[in-house]
Amino acid sequence: MIRRRFPWLSYLLVVTGAVLTVVPFLDMVMTSFKGPDEAGTLPYRFLPKAFDLSNYRAAIQQLDLPVLFRNSVVATALITGSVLLTSSLAGYALAKLRFPGRDFVFRLVLSTMMFPPFLFFIPHFLILVHWPLAGGNDLLGRGGAGLTVSIVALAMPFLVSSFGIFLTRQFMISIPDEVLEAARIDGAGEFAVWWRIVVPQTRPVLVTLGLLTFVDAWNEYIWALLISTANPEVMTLPVGIQFLQDYVDPTRTLPIVMAGLVLSILPVLVLFLLLQKHYIRGVMLSGLK
Amino acid sequence: MVNATLAPEATERAARDRSAAGVRGRARHRRRQAVVAYLFLAPTLLFYAVFLLLPLGFALLLSMSRWAGFDLGDIEPVGLDNFAGLFADGSTFLAPILTNTLLFALGTVVLALAGSVLVATCIDKLRFQGLWRTLYFLPIVTTVVAVGNVWKYMYEPGGLVNGVLNTLGLGSVAFLQDPDTALPAVVVVQAWASVGSAILVLTAGLKSIPESYYEAAALDGAGAVTVFWRITLPLLRPSLLFVCITQFLTGLQSFALIIVMTRGGPGDATNVAALEMYRQAFSYGDWGAASAAAFVLFTVVLAVTLVQLWLFRRKGEDA
């Protein structure tokens, strides 16, 4: 790299930027320790008077945090599991199997990525509400609450990822055909070839895809908000915390909300720090987040 | 078992012309592979049918209907009335909502691009690159509920931003309550949250610029500023273009942050098209107007996407 005459200028810029990025997180953590009269009052103070954990205890109780946590875990696990399974199955078919209509299906997968998510909130919600023979609905989808009564509703619109299919397909194309052919001659069926050879070979890309999907699913807000409004029992962490913030006295509950937020972002943060390389590669592959 | 099924096949094959049997075997193999392929694709195709084609058709139908929202039999076709309503006199859709959407997207692109270009060009020359990258990436893996609430609190009179302003001897600003500052205040947060991924793309772009260009420039005695304008920036253009367009597309569609921070207020000061769609549908139950708004925004997004495809295809042909 070229020698800069003023490397300190670069350091100054990068460090300033990093501080600006991190300060809101520190402010969140500091506020989570503050007493009810300490947050949002003048003059502003960065540090709390004492570091006690009462807000965390309050968050766990007032928010019914274990239930929110369970709902978030179930929805995230369903989405991540399903995306990994369907992506690697479809990706394998599109990369390595020969069948009529393959180009058409592949082009279909690509073209679905043109449709932005906001276009689907309304019809997806209405489809789940009017799902036939679910949640008290009749055959024509009338009379009940449909699939919104089930926790599965949180995951339904995200069970398949076109980007995931595209990603695994691109990765699987580089597996040599001879390896697969050898396994077939040895008597392995296509399912065995997929599970024993293709899936292990594509583990890096599956880890990346799983991580991206996990983070997105864990942080998903709008859809979870819609489903939770219809059925509060399946409320997820982000929705529950926002609910507390909106409907209880905001200034007094602020430290509790911040404590809840710290707890809710911890799992993703830990996972990100542990598997950072995989995640960053995923963001590179998906273009921009 | 294996012998029993193989034996008749073997004798059959021996009895016939070898090449003909080979063709038949291959045909059967191919047919079996097609069945397996469609089995593997079945969950995906089923999902596309129920969660892609059906919703698109349904949304299109709703955008041209009036519907109270309960019995599907009550959907009443009204042609393009919903679209006409969006652009009628006195409608808030074109201004301020659609203009807000464009300002929000543009503002985010400008801020995020400026920040990421500065940081990415500097970060390349420093130590501890991994540490910096991790820090700049934190907002990306954080839920919008956390980002929105923390910043909302920071913008309050007793929050961090006003605390800093007061320390500098400046008066407090009611960022999110003042219609003039609310939109810029939200734009700053959206840009803050997206700088990390832009840095990532630009850093990769920088690494692909050959070292020899810089060495040649150094031999010619070019200064740092000249090198930046004449070498770095022009060669970084594909990455810059990519960041611009993808960030712009994200900006056009985002409304989760706005729901958390302002819910579109004060008044319509931070209301954007996707949020208006959401409110028309889920707050006022006007499914027709909401779906029409969704398709108008989709048209804008599609236009930008097509420009992107065209730009990058052209670039591909040049190369």
Side-chain angles (χ1 to χ4, degrees):
Chain A
M1 279 293 136
I2 185 173
R3 295 263 178 274
R4 294 268 146 160
R5 257 160 279 179
F6 306 112
W8 54 269
L9 190 67
S10 293
Y11 269 106
L12 186 71
L13 249 157
V14 171
V15 172
T16 310
V19 168
L20 288 177
T21 309
V22 175
V23 156
F25 288 96
L26 294 179
D27 197 37
M28 171 167 63
V29 174
M30 293 304 161
T31 310
S32 74
F33 291 110
K34 285 178 181 170
D37 305 318
E38 260 184 282
T41 48
L42 292 166
Y44 170 81
R45 286 165 53 104
F46 184 64
L47 293 170
K49 286 189 185 122
F51 284 93
D52 79 303
L53 293 170
S54 60
N55 291 322
Y56 286 86
R57 272 192 293 275
I60 291 169
Q61 286 159 6
Q62 288 191 27
L63 279 167
D64 220 352
L65 214 60
V67 175
L68 299 182
F69 199 82
R70 188 205 63 197
N71 290 340
S72 277
V73 167
V74 170
T76 305
L78 277 174
I79 293 170
T80 311
S82 170
V83 164
L84 287 178
L85 184 71
T86 54
S87 296
S88 63
L89 280 174
Y92 173 56
L94 291 173
K96 287 296 168 192
L97 298 181
R98 254 187 258 168
F99 58 95
R102 184 170 78 167
D103 288 346
F104 172 78
V105 175
F106 184 55
R107 248 177 254 142
L108 179 73
V109 171
L110 290 183
S111 63
T112 62
M113 289 196 262
M114 302 261 285
F115 296 103
F118 70 82
L119 206 51
F120 295 97
F121 285 122
I122 294 171
H124 277 168
F125 185 75
L126 294 174
I127 286 171
L128 287 198
V129 169
H130 294 285
W131 198 274
L133 303 177
N137 276 350
D138 61 15
L139 192 65
L140 293 173
R142 289 176 304 194
L147 267 186
T148 58
V149 297
S150 160
I151 195 165
V152 177
L154 289 173
M156 291 288 288
F158 310 107
L159 290 178
V160 168
S161 154
S162 295
F163 167 69
I165 296 171
F166 174 71
L167 191 64
T168 46
R169 180 217 178 242
Q170 298 307 85
F171 205 85
M172 285 170 179
I173 275 192
S174 62
I175 298 176
D177 280 321
E178 292 76 31
V179 177
L180 307 179
E181 210 45 59
R184 285 180 195 130
I185 288 167
D186 285 349
E190 290 302 335
F191 189 80
V193 171
W194 168 77
W195 178 246
R196 299 255 182 82
I197 299 172
V198 175
V199 169
Q201 290 242 6
T202 47
R203 195 153 55 199
V205 79
L206 293 181
V207 170
T208 297
L209 177 63
L211 201 57
L212 278 179
T213 312
F214 181 95
V215 173
D216 277 356
W218 187 267
N219 291 339
E220 209 289 324
Y221 177 59
I222 303 283
W223 178 253
L225 174 64
L226 290 179
I227 296 299
S228 305
T229 315
N231 175 19
E233 279 175 25
V234 299
M235 202 175 269
T236 60
L237 273 169
V239 180
I241 294 171
Q242 187 60 40
F243 204 71
L244 181 76
Q245 166 66 20
D246 285 345
Y247 295 102
V248 191
D249 177 18
T251 47
R252 289 198 70 80
T253 52
L254 192 67
I256 301 175
V257 167
M258 293 298 164
L261 286 174
V262 171
L263 291 177
S264 81
I265 65 176
L266 268 183
V268 173
L269 218 54
V270 170
L271 209 64
F272 167 67
L273 292 177
L274 287 178
L275 299 167
Q276 211 191 123
K277 274 201 183 111
H278 294 277
Y279 188 84
I280 285 178
R281 200 184 52 168
V283 174
M284 286 299 295
L285 289 169
S286 67
L288 268 182
K289 290 250 321 165
Chain B
M1 273 289 280
V2 176
N3 279 335
T5 49
L6 271 180
E9 243 181 56
T11 46
E12 191 183 57
R13 196 174 296 173
R16 290 166 189 267
D17 179 5
R18 266 176 176 261
S19 66
V23 168
R24 245 162 47 96
R26 239 177 288 144
R28 190 166 51 206
H29 175 69
R30 209 173 293 156
R31 216 165 30 242
R32 255 220 349 247
Q33 208 170 56
V35 172
V36 171
Y38 277 104
L39 268 178
F40 280 22
L41 285 166
T44 298
L45 294 177
L46 194 68
F47 180 89
Y48 282 164
V50 179
F51 288 100
L52 200 93
L53 290 180
L54 180 64
L56 277 178
F58 193 28
L60 204 57
L61 173 73
L62 280 180
S63 73
M64 292 186 265
S65 312
R66 191 178 297 127
W67 187 43
F70 300 104
D71 197 326
L72 291 171
D74 292 344
I75 296 179
E76 178 197 338
V78 293
L80 295 175
D81 281 8
N82 292 321
F83 291 93
L86 289 177
F87 297 104
D89 283 342
S91 160
T92 51
F93 187 71
L94 206 54
I97 296 172
L98 215 48
T99 32
N100 280 347
T101 313
L102 293 174
L103 286 175
F104 180 79
L106 263 179
T108 328
V109 168
V110 171
L111 280 185
L113 201 65
S116 56
V117 168
L118 278 177
V119 173
T121 45
C122 292
I123 220 169
D124 222 24
K125 279 93 196 169
L126 303 189
R127 301 170 67 183
F128 316 117
Q129 280 191 30
L131 172 72
W132 307 125
R133 206 172 50 181
T134 309
L135 293 181
Y136 281 108
F137 235 71
L138 286 178
I140 295 166
V141 294
T142 309
T143 166
V144 67
V145 172
V147 170
N149 278 305
V150 171
W151 276 90
K152 190 177 165 189
Y153 165 53
M154 284 176 29
Y155 278 138
E156 270 172 25
L160 195 153
V161 178
N162 276 314
V164 171
L165 287 181
N166 293 343
T167 314
L168 295 173
L170 299 165
S172 294
V173 180
F175 288 99
L176 297 178
Q177 288 76 33
D178 185 336
D180 293 332
T181 52
L183 191 62
V186 185
V187 164
V188 166
V189 182
Q190 178 85 6
W192 173 84
S194 47
V195 157
S197 49
I199 290 175
L200 198 67
V201 173
L202 295 183
T203 311
L206 284 170
K207 289 216 193 311
S208 68
I209 300 177
E211 193 63 30
S212 54
Y213 290 17
Y214 290 109
E215 284 158 8
L219 281 178
D220 288 346
V225 178
T226 316
V227 168
F228 179 77
W229 282 106
R230 292 289 182 75
I231 296 179
T232 309
L233 221 47
L235 288 171
L236 203 56
R237 226 186 57 182
S239 311
L240 288 172
L241 198 64
F242 182 78
V243 169
C244 271
I245 293 186
T246 40
Q247 210 80 261
F248 190 67
L249 282 172
T250 313
L252 287 177
Q253 305 172 34
S254 309
F255 64 109
L257 183 72
I258 296 179
I259 284 196
V260 171
M261 290 186 73
T262 64
R263 297 194 205 189
D268 270 329
T270 54
N271 198 2
V272 291
L275 177 60
E276 177 67 7
M277 168 208 82
Y278 176 88
R279 290 209 302 196
Q280 288 291 345
F282 299 105
S283 302
Y284 312 129
D286 193 342
W287 304 99
S291 303
F295 275 103
V296 172
L297 181 59
F298 175 55
T299 313
V300 178
V301 168
L302 193 67
V304 178
T305 312
L306 292 177
V307 169
Q308 175 189 26
L309 287 176
W310 177 72
L311 277 173
F312 281 88
R313 184 160 302 167
R314 210 184 48 163
K315 198 198 73 199
E317 278 167 8
D318 283 353

